[in-house]
């Protein structure tokens, strides 16, 4: 199958949707499909190669501009320039299916949706309260969302938001990861990475919704019990200095996984609007015990047949977070290692990828039926 994937967010840095598109493209290619990616920005050196992709498989949709949305900064683009690029990419790609991500906002995915006559599958990633302007765009331009041939959401909460914003009822298929890229180190001593406990935070620490402030406020309480606690912060953001906290910056995926594999607790203190929580899966893949806020997407991702893996604390409450970290540090390090790893493996691309391909097949069938029906209507109109 020739698959064209569109990501509306700039590829200049890692992000949940970007990584999902890259991972999916890499897996599709590995099982024999032809892929092409269209997204704003330019991927940094090595980013495509890390996923087994070549430079020729990426086309830039132009420069992105930062826009405040969903308590985050989205780097997206829209307008005639990106539309021209999308049209040229569609013409050159001659795709069997076009897979758009987040095509409900004014962005490159929505432009591509307007421009293509091919079967379209969409994935909804967002968990933001209904955005009135988006809802209005979808009501004003019913051809846009109704044009989708198949729809996916990454979690139940993302499906609910998609339905509220567009009326579409998507099938839930989570984010994927390549489990073999994540290192699972055996536990040999009291602590996973040396002679003292280590807590790790991962993500855009300057974005309030990622909840880094909830963690920093919890640290003094945790240190009363574990004075030698080391705190590692992985992620892009402005220079910051906090006593006892090491900012390692934006690191490669391999380096990120290495830190996670020597962490005694991975803390996810996000305060809301998470649609899935790929970071939890990544941490569990590396064997890190998880302490996470009580967000519905997080609880869904952390739940296996025996209940919730790790510790959930009251969202935004630093005291509850401190207690959860202490409880987690007091448990044997290997308690949930294999259970977390098994949960992460259930999101391996070998599991998630075929479900997405099935949605491509549904999109092709639905498109065929829609075109056939339109032809029938035209014939009835003529006779
Ligand atoms: N290598 C590396 N990876 C990083 C770094 N910082 C973040 N990442 C990676 O970037 C990805 C996104 O992380 P988040 O910050 O948690 O997600 P988001 O961009 O807000 O994504 C949204 O969509 C995702 C996909 O559906 C959701 O999973 C997520 O909950 C959220 O709603 C994860 O794979 C994470 O490991 C870094 O410095 N280095």
């Amino acid at each position: 199958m020739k698959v064209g994937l569109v990501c509306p967010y700039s590829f200049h840095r890692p992000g949940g949707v970007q990584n999902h598109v890259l991972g999916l493209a890499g897996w599709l290619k590995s099982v024999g499909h032809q892929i092409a990616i269209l997204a704003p920005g330019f991927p940094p050196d090595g980013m495509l190669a890390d996923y087994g992709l070549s430079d020729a498989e990426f086309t830039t949709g132009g420069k992105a501009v930062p826009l405040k949305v969903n308590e985050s900064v989205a780097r997206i683009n829209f307008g005639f320039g990106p539309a021209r690029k999308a049209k040229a990419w569609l013409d050159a790609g001659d795709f069997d299916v076009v897979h758009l991500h987040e095509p409900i906002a004014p962005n490159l995915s929505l432009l591509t949706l307007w421009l293509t006559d091919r079967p379209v599958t969409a994935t909804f990633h967002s968990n933001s309260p209904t955005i009135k302007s988006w809802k209005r765009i979808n009501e004003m331009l019913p051809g846009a969302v109704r044009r989708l041939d198949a729809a996916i959401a990454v979690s139940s909460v993302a499906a609910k938001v998609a339905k509220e914003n567009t009326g579409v009822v998507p099938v839930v298929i989570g984010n994927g990861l390549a489990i073999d890229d994540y290192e699972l180190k055996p536990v040999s001593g009291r602590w996973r990475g040396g002679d003292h406990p280590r807590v790790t935070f991962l993500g855009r620490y300057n974005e309030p919704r990622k909840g880094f402030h909830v963690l920093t406020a919890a640290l003094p309480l945790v240190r009363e019990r574990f004075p030698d606690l080391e705190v590692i912060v992985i992620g892009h953001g402005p220079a910051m200095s906090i006593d006892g906290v090491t900012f390692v910056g934006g690191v490669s995926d391999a380096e990120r996984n290495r830190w996670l594999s020597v962490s005694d607790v991975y803390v996810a203190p996000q305060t809301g609007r998470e649609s899935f929580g790929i970071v939890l899966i990544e941490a569990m893949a590396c064997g890190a015990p998880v302490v996470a806020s009580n967000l519905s997407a997080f609880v869904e991702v952390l739940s296996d047949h025996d209940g919730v893996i790790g510790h959930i604390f009251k969202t935004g409450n630093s005291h509850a977070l401190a207690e959860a970290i202490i409880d987690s540090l007091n448990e044997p390090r290997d308690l949930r290692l294999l259970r977390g790893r098994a949960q992460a493996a259930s999101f391996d691309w070998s599991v998630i990828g075929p479900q997405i391909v099935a949605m491509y097949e549904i999109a092709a069938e639905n498109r065929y039926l829609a075109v056939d029906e339109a032809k029938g209507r035209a014939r009835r109109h003529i006779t």
Side-chain angles (χ1 to χ4, degrees), residues 14-17 19 125 154 175 202-204 209-210 234-236 249-253 256 270 273-279 282:
V17 182
N19 287 3
H125 294 262
V154 294
N175 287 159
L202 162 64
R204 298 181 296 268
R209 82 177 173 97
K210 294 294 180 191
I234 305 168
H236 296 269
V251 297
S252 68
D253 287 0
R256 174 198 65 197
Q270 282 84 332
R273 306 199 175 190
E274 293 292 323
S275 62
F276 182 79
I278 187 65
V279 281
E282 291 168 342

PDB file of all heavy atoms in Angstrom, residues 14-17 19 125 154 175 202-204 209-210 234-236 249-253 256 270 273-279 282, ligand 1:
ATOM      1  N   PRO A  14      11.060  16.542  19.103  1.00  0.00           N
ATOM      2  CA  PRO A  14      10.159  15.419  19.379  1.00  0.00           C
ATOM      3  C   PRO A  14       8.854  15.908  20.003  1.00  0.00           C
ATOM      4  O   PRO A  14       8.809  16.950  20.640  1.00  0.00           O
ATOM      5  CB  PRO A  14      10.935  14.572  20.400  1.00  0.00           C
ATOM      6  CG  PRO A  14      12.112  15.354  20.841  1.00  0.00           C
ATOM      7  CD  PRO A  14      12.278  16.527  19.931  1.00  0.00           C
ATOM      8  N   GLY A  15       7.823  15.173  19.811  1.00  0.00           N
ATOM      9  CA  GLY A  15       6.519  15.475  20.405  1.00  0.00           C
ATOM     10  C   GLY A  15       5.693  14.211  20.281  1.00  0.00           C
ATOM     11  O   GLY A  15       6.050  13.304  19.508  1.00  0.00           O
ATOM     12  N   GLY A  16       4.603  14.125  21.019  1.00  0.00           N
ATOM     13  CA  GLY A  16       3.810  12.897  21.029  1.00  0.00           C
ATOM     14  C   GLY A  16       3.308  12.504  19.644  1.00  0.00           C
ATOM     15  O   GLY A  16       3.439  11.353  19.240  1.00  0.00           O
ATOM     16  N   VAL A  17       2.746  13.467  18.919  1.00  0.00           N
ATOM     17  CA  VAL A  17       2.155  13.134  17.617  1.00  0.00           C
ATOM     18  C   VAL A  17       3.266  12.863  16.592  1.00  0.00           C
ATOM     19  O   VAL A  17       3.194  11.893  15.817  1.00  0.00           O
ATOM     20  CB  VAL A  17       1.201  14.264  17.156  1.00  0.00           C
ATOM     21  CG1 VAL A  17       0.543  13.894  15.825  1.00  0.00           C
ATOM     22  CG2 VAL A  17       0.127  14.517  18.212  1.00  0.00           C
ATOM     23  N   ASN A  19       6.286  11.722  17.115  1.00  0.00           N
ATOM     24  CA  ASN A  19       6.901  10.405  17.366  1.00  0.00           C
ATOM     25  C   ASN A  19       5.977   9.269  16.936  1.00  0.00           C
ATOM     26  O   ASN A  19       6.430   8.238  16.443  1.00  0.00           O
ATOM     27  CB  ASN A  19       7.240  10.245  18.852  1.00  0.00           C
ATOM     28  CG  ASN A  19       8.436  11.100  19.243  1.00  0.00           C
ATOM     29  OD1 ASN A  19       8.960  11.847  18.416  1.00  0.00           O
ATOM     30  ND2 ASN A  19       8.865  11.004  20.483  1.00  0.00           N
ATOM     31  N   HIS A 125      -5.830  13.008  18.400  1.00  0.00           N
ATOM     32  CA  HIS A 125      -4.927  12.886  19.553  1.00  0.00           C
ATOM     33  C   HIS A 125      -5.313  13.811  20.698  1.00  0.00           C
ATOM     34  O   HIS A 125      -4.737  13.707  21.770  1.00  0.00           O
ATOM     35  CB  HIS A 125      -3.501  13.278  19.148  1.00  0.00           C
ATOM     36  CG  HIS A 125      -2.857  12.360  18.172  1.00  0.00           C
ATOM     37  ND1 HIS A 125      -1.982  11.367  18.556  1.00  0.00           N
ATOM     38  CD2 HIS A 125      -2.940  12.274  16.831  1.00  0.00           C
ATOM     39  CE1 HIS A 125      -1.549  10.729  17.479  1.00  0.00           C
ATOM     40  NE2 HIS A 125      -2.117  11.255  16.413  1.00  0.00           N
ATOM     41  N   VAL A 154      -6.712   8.052  20.018  1.00  0.00           N
ATOM     42  CA  VAL A 154      -5.671   7.315  20.743  1.00  0.00           C
ATOM     43  C   VAL A 154      -6.117   6.829  22.121  1.00  0.00           C
ATOM     44  O   VAL A 154      -5.402   6.061  22.763  1.00  0.00           O
ATOM     45  CB  VAL A 154      -4.352   8.128  20.857  1.00  0.00           C
ATOM     46  CG1 VAL A 154      -3.733   8.335  19.493  1.00  0.00           C
ATOM     47  CG2 VAL A 154      -4.579   9.451  21.576  1.00  0.00           C
ATOM     48  N   ASN A 175      -1.386   4.867  21.106  1.00  0.00           N
ATOM     49  CA  ASN A 175      -0.071   5.183  20.526  1.00  0.00           C
ATOM     50  C   ASN A 175       0.759   3.907  20.504  1.00  0.00           C
ATOM     51  O   ASN A 175       0.578   3.037  21.367  1.00  0.00           O
ATOM     52  CB  ASN A 175       0.686   6.195  21.390  1.00  0.00           C
ATOM     53  CG  ASN A 175       0.133   7.610  21.316  1.00  0.00           C
ATOM     54  OD1 ASN A 175       0.383   8.406  22.207  1.00  0.00           O
ATOM     55  ND2 ASN A 175      -0.600   7.936  20.279  1.00  0.00           N
ATOM     56  N   LEU A 202      10.134  13.639  32.506  1.00  0.00           N
ATOM     57  CA  LEU A 202      10.419  13.713  31.064  1.00  0.00           C
ATOM     58  C   LEU A 202       9.397  14.602  30.382  1.00  0.00           C
ATOM     59  O   LEU A 202       8.193  14.375  30.509  1.00  0.00           O
ATOM     60  CB  LEU A 202      10.359  12.290  30.478  1.00  0.00           C
ATOM     61  CG  LEU A 202      10.208  12.118  28.964  1.00  0.00           C
ATOM     62  CD1 LEU A 202      11.422  12.680  28.216  1.00  0.00           C
ATOM     63  CD2 LEU A 202      10.042  10.638  28.622  1.00  0.00           C
ATOM     64  N   GLY A 203       9.879  15.599  29.644  1.00  0.00           N
ATOM     65  CA  GLY A 203       8.949  16.403  28.842  1.00  0.00           C
ATOM     66  C   GLY A 203       9.220  17.898  28.933  1.00  0.00           C
ATOM     67  O   GLY A 203      10.231  18.332  29.489  1.00  0.00           O
ATOM     68  N   ARG A 204       8.289  18.670  28.375  1.00  0.00           N
ATOM     69  CA  ARG A 204       8.469  20.130  28.284  1.00  0.00           C
ATOM     70  C   ARG A 204       8.172  20.750  29.658  1.00  0.00           C
ATOM     71  O   ARG A 204       7.044  21.148  29.944  1.00  0.00           O
ATOM     72  CB  ARG A 204       7.531  20.688  27.199  1.00  0.00           C
ATOM     73  CG  ARG A 204       7.829  20.119  25.803  1.00  0.00           C
ATOM     74  CD  ARG A 204       6.910  20.708  24.749  1.00  0.00           C
ATOM     75  NE  ARG A 204       5.525  20.364  24.945  1.00  0.00           N
ATOM     76  CZ  ARG A 204       4.918  19.283  24.395  1.00  0.00           C
ATOM     77  NH1 ARG A 204       5.592  18.446  23.642  1.00  0.00           N
ATOM     78  NH2 ARG A 204       3.635  19.077  24.619  1.00  0.00           N
ATOM     79  N   ARG A 209       1.018  22.570  32.045  1.00  0.00           N
ATOM     80  CA  ARG A 209       0.190  21.354  32.076  1.00  0.00           C
ATOM     81  C   ARG A 209       1.027  20.081  32.226  1.00  0.00           C
ATOM     82  O   ARG A 209       0.495  19.017  32.523  1.00  0.00           O
ATOM     83  CB  ARG A 209      -0.726  21.286  30.862  1.00  0.00           C
ATOM     84  CG  ARG A 209      -0.108  20.764  29.597  1.00  0.00           C
ATOM     85  CD  ARG A 209      -1.139  20.670  28.490  1.00  0.00           C
ATOM     86  NE  ARG A 209      -0.539  20.325  27.227  1.00  0.00           N
ATOM     87  CZ  ARG A 209      -0.497  19.084  26.736  1.00  0.00           C
ATOM     88  NH1 ARG A 209      -1.009  18.096  27.403  1.00  0.00           N
ATOM     89  NH2 ARG A 209       0.072  18.860  25.580  1.00  0.00           N
ATOM     90  N   LYS A 210       2.348  20.189  32.039  1.00  0.00           N
ATOM     91  CA  LYS A 210       3.198  19.015  32.245  1.00  0.00           C
ATOM     92  C   LYS A 210       3.512  18.805  33.733  1.00  0.00           C
ATOM     93  O   LYS A 210       4.091  17.795  34.122  1.00  0.00           O
ATOM     94  CB  LYS A 210       4.491  19.123  31.429  1.00  0.00           C
ATOM     95  CG  LYS A 210       4.239  19.092  29.902  1.00  0.00           C
ATOM     96  CD  LYS A 210       3.693  17.750  29.442  1.00  0.00           C
ATOM     97  CE  LYS A 210       3.432  17.694  27.947  1.00  0.00           C
ATOM     98  NZ  LYS A 210       2.662  16.503  27.537  1.00  0.00           N
ATOM     99  N   ILE A 234      14.553  15.356  31.939  1.00  0.00           N
ATOM    100  CA  ILE A 234      14.878  15.208  30.512  1.00  0.00           C
ATOM    101  C   ILE A 234      13.883  16.054  29.742  1.00  0.00           C
ATOM    102  O   ILE A 234      12.679  15.983  30.000  1.00  0.00           O
ATOM    103  CB  ILE A 234      14.697  13.738  30.047  1.00  0.00           C
ATOM    104  CG1 ILE A 234      15.518  12.784  30.913  1.00  0.00           C
ATOM    105  CG2 ILE A 234      15.044  13.584  28.575  1.00  0.00           C
ATOM    106  CD1 ILE A 234      15.165  11.304  30.686  1.00  0.00           C
ATOM    107  N   GLY A 235      14.358  16.832  28.779  1.00  0.00           N
ATOM    108  CA  GLY A 235      13.405  17.565  27.943  1.00  0.00           C
ATOM    109  C   GLY A 235      13.913  18.931  27.544  1.00  0.00           C
ATOM    110  O   GLY A 235      14.863  19.460  28.127  1.00  0.00           O
ATOM    111  N   HIS A 236      13.238  19.477  26.536  1.00  0.00           N
ATOM    112  CA  HIS A 236      13.599  20.802  26.038  1.00  0.00           C
ATOM    113  C   HIS A 236      12.936  21.869  26.896  1.00  0.00           C
ATOM    114  O   HIS A 236      11.825  21.678  27.375  1.00  0.00           O
ATOM    115  CB  HIS A 236      13.123  20.966  24.598  1.00  0.00           C
ATOM    116  CG  HIS A 236      13.784  20.026  23.649  1.00  0.00           C
ATOM    117  ND1 HIS A 236      14.943  20.346  22.965  1.00  0.00           N
ATOM    118  CD2 HIS A 236      13.484  18.761  23.291  1.00  0.00           C
ATOM    119  CE1 HIS A 236      15.305  19.322  22.208  1.00  0.00           C
ATOM    120  NE2 HIS A 236      14.433  18.336  22.393  1.00  0.00           N
ATOM    121  N   GLY A 249      18.523  18.215  29.577  1.00  0.00           N
ATOM    122  CA  GLY A 249      18.158  18.838  28.293  1.00  0.00           C
ATOM    123  C   GLY A 249      17.475  17.874  27.345  1.00  0.00           C
ATOM    124  O   GLY A 249      17.059  16.783  27.720  1.00  0.00           O
ATOM    125  N   GLY A 250      17.367  18.321  26.089  1.00  0.00           N
ATOM    126  CA  GLY A 250      16.784  17.465  25.049  1.00  0.00           C
ATOM    127  C   GLY A 250      17.826  16.446  24.626  1.00  0.00           C
ATOM    128  O   GLY A 250      18.882  16.810  24.117  1.00  0.00           O
ATOM    129  N   VAL A 251      17.573  15.201  24.858  1.00  0.00           N
ATOM    130  CA  VAL A 251      18.570  14.157  24.582  1.00  0.00           C
ATOM    131  C   VAL A 251      18.037  13.207  23.500  1.00  0.00           C
ATOM    132  O   VAL A 251      16.851  13.235  23.168  1.00  0.00           O
ATOM    133  CB  VAL A 251      18.920  13.341  25.856  1.00  0.00           C
ATOM    134  CG1 VAL A 251      19.553  14.234  26.916  1.00  0.00           C
ATOM    135  CG2 VAL A 251      17.670  12.655  26.421  1.00  0.00           C
ATOM    136  N   SER A 252      18.927  12.373  22.973  1.00  0.00           N
ATOM    137  CA  SER A 252      18.516  11.399  21.953  1.00  0.00           C
ATOM    138  C   SER A 252      17.564  10.372  22.591  1.00  0.00           C
ATOM    139  O   SER A 252      17.499  10.245  23.816  1.00  0.00           O
ATOM    140  CB  SER A 252      19.743  10.667  21.409  1.00  0.00           C
ATOM    141  OG  SER A 252      20.267   9.857  22.444  1.00  0.00           O
ATOM    142  N   ASP A 253      16.855   9.632  21.743  1.00  0.00           N
ATOM    143  CA  ASP A 253      15.951   8.600  22.271  1.00  0.00           C
ATOM    144  C   ASP A 253      16.743   7.561  23.073  1.00  0.00           C
ATOM    145  O   ASP A 253      16.288   7.099  24.129  1.00  0.00           O
ATOM    146  CB  ASP A 253      15.207   7.890  21.124  1.00  0.00           C
ATOM    147  CG  ASP A 253      14.132   8.792  20.516  1.00  0.00           C
ATOM    148  OD1 ASP A 253      13.986   9.939  20.992  1.00  0.00           O
ATOM    149  OD2 ASP A 253      13.459   8.348  19.567  1.00  0.00           O
ATOM    150  N   ARG A 256      17.560   9.052  26.414  1.00  0.00           N
ATOM    151  CA  ARG A 256      16.310   9.104  27.218  1.00  0.00           C
ATOM    152  C   ARG A 256      16.019   7.719  27.812  1.00  0.00           C
ATOM    153  O   ARG A 256      15.755   7.583  29.006  1.00  0.00           O
ATOM    154  CB  ARG A 256      15.151   9.536  26.309  1.00  0.00           C
ATOM    155  CG  ARG A 256      13.777   9.493  26.967  1.00  0.00           C
ATOM    156  CD  ARG A 256      12.677   9.505  25.911  1.00  0.00           C
ATOM    157  NE  ARG A 256      12.711   8.308  25.093  1.00  0.00           N
ATOM    158  CZ  ARG A 256      12.103   8.165  23.912  1.00  0.00           C
ATOM    159  NH1 ARG A 256      11.426   9.166  23.406  1.00  0.00           N
ATOM    160  NH2 ARG A 256      12.185   7.029  23.241  1.00  0.00           N
ATOM    161  N   GLN A 270       1.569  15.500  35.198  1.00  0.00           N
ATOM    162  CA  GLN A 270       0.767  16.330  34.294  1.00  0.00           C
ATOM    163  C   GLN A 270      -0.564  16.712  34.944  1.00  0.00           C
ATOM    164  O   GLN A 270      -1.174  15.905  35.634  1.00  0.00           O
ATOM    165  CB  GLN A 270       0.490  15.567  32.985  1.00  0.00           C
ATOM    166  CG  GLN A 270       1.660  15.532  32.024  1.00  0.00           C
ATOM    167  CD  GLN A 270       2.677  14.443  32.296  1.00  0.00           C
ATOM    168  OE1 GLN A 270       2.851  14.004  33.428  1.00  0.00           O
ATOM    169  NE2 GLN A 270       3.384  14.005  31.282  1.00  0.00           N
ATOM    170  N   ARG A 273      -5.316  17.467  30.192  1.00  0.00           N
ATOM    171  CA  ARG A 273      -5.271  17.556  28.734  1.00  0.00           C
ATOM    172  C   ARG A 273      -4.339  16.554  28.064  1.00  0.00           C
ATOM    173  O   ARG A 273      -3.888  16.783  26.944  1.00  0.00           O
ATOM    174  CB  ARG A 273      -4.908  18.975  28.312  1.00  0.00           C
ATOM    175  CG  ARG A 273      -5.861  19.959  28.945  1.00  0.00           C
ATOM    176  CD  ARG A 273      -5.888  21.263  28.269  1.00  0.00           C
ATOM    177  NE  ARG A 273      -6.932  22.076  28.892  1.00  0.00           N
ATOM    178  CZ  ARG A 273      -7.350  23.218  28.414  1.00  0.00           C
ATOM    179  NH1 ARG A 273      -6.825  23.698  27.325  1.00  0.00           N
ATOM    180  NH2 ARG A 273      -8.290  23.880  29.021  1.00  0.00           N
ATOM    181  N   GLU A 274      -3.995  15.473  28.773  1.00  0.00           N
ATOM    182  CA  GLU A 274      -3.207  14.418  28.135  1.00  0.00           C
ATOM    183  C   GLU A 274      -4.177  13.471  27.442  1.00  0.00           C
ATOM    184  O   GLU A 274      -5.159  13.037  28.040  1.00  0.00           O
ATOM    185  CB  GLU A 274      -2.394  13.653  29.179  1.00  0.00           C
ATOM    186  CG  GLU A 274      -1.308  14.462  29.828  1.00  0.00           C
ATOM    187  CD  GLU A 274      -0.179  14.824  28.885  1.00  0.00           C
ATOM    188  OE1 GLU A 274       0.179  13.987  28.027  1.00  0.00           O
ATOM    189  OE2 GLU A 274       0.340  15.950  28.994  1.00  0.00           O
ATOM    190  N   SER A 275      -3.885  13.128  26.218  1.00  0.00           N
ATOM    191  CA  SER A 275      -4.821  12.263  25.487  1.00  0.00           C
ATOM    192  C   SER A 275      -4.450  10.798  25.624  1.00  0.00           C
ATOM    193  O   SER A 275      -5.274   9.925  25.417  1.00  0.00           O
ATOM    194  CB  SER A 275      -4.835  12.646  24.019  1.00  0.00           C
ATOM    195  OG  SER A 275      -3.565  12.451  23.467  1.00  0.00           O
ATOM    196  N   PHE A 276      -3.198  10.518  25.962  1.00  0.00           N
ATOM    197  CA  PHE A 276      -2.781   9.118  26.043  1.00  0.00           C
ATOM    198  C   PHE A 276      -1.734   8.966  27.146  1.00  0.00           C
ATOM    199  O   PHE A 276      -2.029   8.466  28.227  1.00  0.00           O
ATOM    200  CB  PHE A 276      -2.226   8.659  24.680  1.00  0.00           C
ATOM    201  CG  PHE A 276      -1.814   7.211  24.655  1.00  0.00           C
ATOM    202  CD1 PHE A 276      -2.760   6.206  24.525  1.00  0.00           C
ATOM    203  CD2 PHE A 276      -0.487   6.853  24.768  1.00  0.00           C
ATOM    204  CE1 PHE A 276      -2.384   4.865  24.514  1.00  0.00           C
ATOM    205  CE2 PHE A 276      -0.098   5.521  24.757  1.00  0.00           C
ATOM    206  CZ  PHE A 276      -1.054   4.530  24.627  1.00  0.00           C
ATOM    207  N   GLY A 277      -0.528   9.443  26.868  1.00  0.00           N
ATOM    208  CA  GLY A 277       0.558   9.309  27.839  1.00  0.00           C
ATOM    209  C   GLY A 277       1.582   8.307  27.355  1.00  0.00           C
ATOM    210  O   GLY A 277       1.919   7.351  28.068  1.00  0.00           O
ATOM    211  N   ILE A 278       2.101   8.555  26.171  1.00  0.00           N
ATOM    212  CA  ILE A 278       3.117   7.660  25.611  1.00  0.00           C
ATOM    213  C   ILE A 278       4.331   7.569  26.549  1.00  0.00           C
ATOM    214  O   ILE A 278       4.990   6.532  26.636  1.00  0.00           O
ATOM    215  CB  ILE A 278       3.546   8.117  24.184  1.00  0.00           C
ATOM    216  CG1 ILE A 278       4.477   7.099  23.502  1.00  0.00           C
ATOM    217  CG2 ILE A 278       4.168   9.496  24.174  1.00  0.00           C
ATOM    218  CD1 ILE A 278       3.862   5.767  23.215  1.00  0.00           C
ATOM    219  N   VAL A 279       4.573   8.659  27.299  1.00  0.00           N
ATOM    220  CA  VAL A 279       5.714   8.680  28.213  1.00  0.00           C
ATOM    221  C   VAL A 279       5.598   7.590  29.291  1.00  0.00           C
ATOM    222  O   VAL A 279       6.609   7.025  29.731  1.00  0.00           O
ATOM    223  CB  VAL A 279       5.875  10.080  28.857  1.00  0.00           C
ATOM    224  CG1 VAL A 279       6.540  11.046  27.885  1.00  0.00           C
ATOM    225  CG2 VAL A 279       4.537  10.643  29.317  1.00  0.00           C
ATOM    226  N   GLU A 282       6.664   4.397  27.682  1.00  0.00           N
ATOM    227  CA  GLU A 282       8.123   4.383  27.490  1.00  0.00           C
ATOM    228  C   GLU A 282       8.826   4.043  28.809  1.00  0.00           C
ATOM    229  O   GLU A 282       9.777   3.253  28.840  1.00  0.00           O
ATOM    230  CB  GLU A 282       8.599   5.737  26.951  1.00  0.00           C
ATOM    231  CG  GLU A 282       8.137   5.981  25.524  1.00  0.00           C
ATOM    232  CD  GLU A 282       8.344   7.412  25.044  1.00  0.00           C
ATOM    233  OE1 GLU A 282       8.523   8.324  25.873  1.00  0.00           O
ATOM    234  OE2 GLU A 282       8.296   7.617  23.831  1.00  0.00           O
TER     235      GLU A 282
HETATM  236  N1  LIG B   1      14.430  11.729  22.883  1.00  0.00           N
HETATM  237  C1  LIG B   1      13.688  12.601  23.515  1.00  0.00           C
HETATM  238  N2  LIG B   1      12.365  12.456  23.537  1.00  0.00           N
HETATM  239  C2  LIG B   1      11.647  13.379  24.191  1.00  0.00           C
HETATM  240  C3  LIG B   1      12.217  14.469  24.853  1.00  0.00           C
HETATM  241  N3  LIG B   1      11.221  15.200  25.402  1.00  0.00           N
HETATM  242  C4  LIG B   1      10.067  14.579  25.091  1.00  0.00           C
HETATM  243  N4  LIG B   1      10.332  13.483  24.356  1.00  0.00           N
HETATM  244  C5  LIG B   1       9.389  12.519  23.780  1.00  0.00           C
HETATM  245  O1  LIG B   1       8.333  13.224  23.159  1.00  0.00           O
HETATM  246  C6  LIG B   1       7.161  12.422  23.158  1.00  0.00           C
HETATM  247  C7  LIG B   1       5.973  13.253  23.576  1.00  0.00           C
HETATM  248  O2  LIG B   1       5.930  13.462  24.856  1.00  0.00           O
HETATM  249  P1  LIG B   1       4.776  14.279  25.626  1.00  0.00           P
HETATM  250  O3  LIG B   1       5.335  15.602  25.953  1.00  0.00           O
HETATM  251  O4  LIG B   1       4.294  13.442  26.723  1.00  0.00           O
HETATM  252  O5  LIG B   1       3.551  14.386  24.640  1.00  0.00           O
HETATM  253  P2  LIG B   1       2.847  15.562  23.864  1.00  0.00           P
HETATM  254  O6  LIG B   1       3.749  16.108  22.836  1.00  0.00           O
HETATM  255  O7  LIG B   1       2.190  16.510  24.796  1.00  0.00           O
HETATM  256  O8  LIG B   1       1.769  14.596  23.135  1.00  0.00           O
HETATM  257  C8  LIG B   1       0.380  14.503  23.228  1.00  0.00           C
HETATM  258  O9  LIG B   1       0.006  13.516  22.258  1.00  0.00           O
HETATM  259  C9  LIG B   1       0.534  12.234  22.548  1.00  0.00           C
HETATM  260  C10 LIG B   1       0.257  11.343  21.330  1.00  0.00           C
HETATM  261  O10 LIG B   1      -1.093  11.053  21.145  1.00  0.00           O
HETATM  262  C11 LIG B   1      -0.026  11.711  23.862  1.00  0.00           C
HETATM  263  O11 LIG B   1       0.563  10.461  24.164  1.00  0.00           O
HETATM  264  C12 LIG B   1       0.282  12.680  24.999  1.00  0.00           C
HETATM  265  O12 LIG B   1      -0.402  12.275  26.175  1.00  0.00           O
HETATM  266  C13 LIG B   1      -0.117  14.094  24.623  1.00  0.00           C
HETATM  267  O13 LIG B   1      -1.534  14.237  24.655  1.00  0.00           O
HETATM  268  C14 LIG B   1       7.468  11.198  24.027  1.00  0.00           C
HETATM  269  O14 LIG B   1       7.775  10.132  23.155  1.00  0.00           O
HETATM  270  C15 LIG B   1       8.724  11.632  24.803  1.00  0.00           C
HETATM  271  O15 LIG B   1       9.561  10.567  25.147  1.00  0.00           O
HETATM  272  C16 LIG B   1      13.638  14.594  24.819  1.00  0.00           C
HETATM  273  O16 LIG B   1      14.234  15.495  25.358  1.00  0.00           O
HETATM  274  N5  LIG B   1      14.302  13.639  24.121  1.00  0.00           N
END
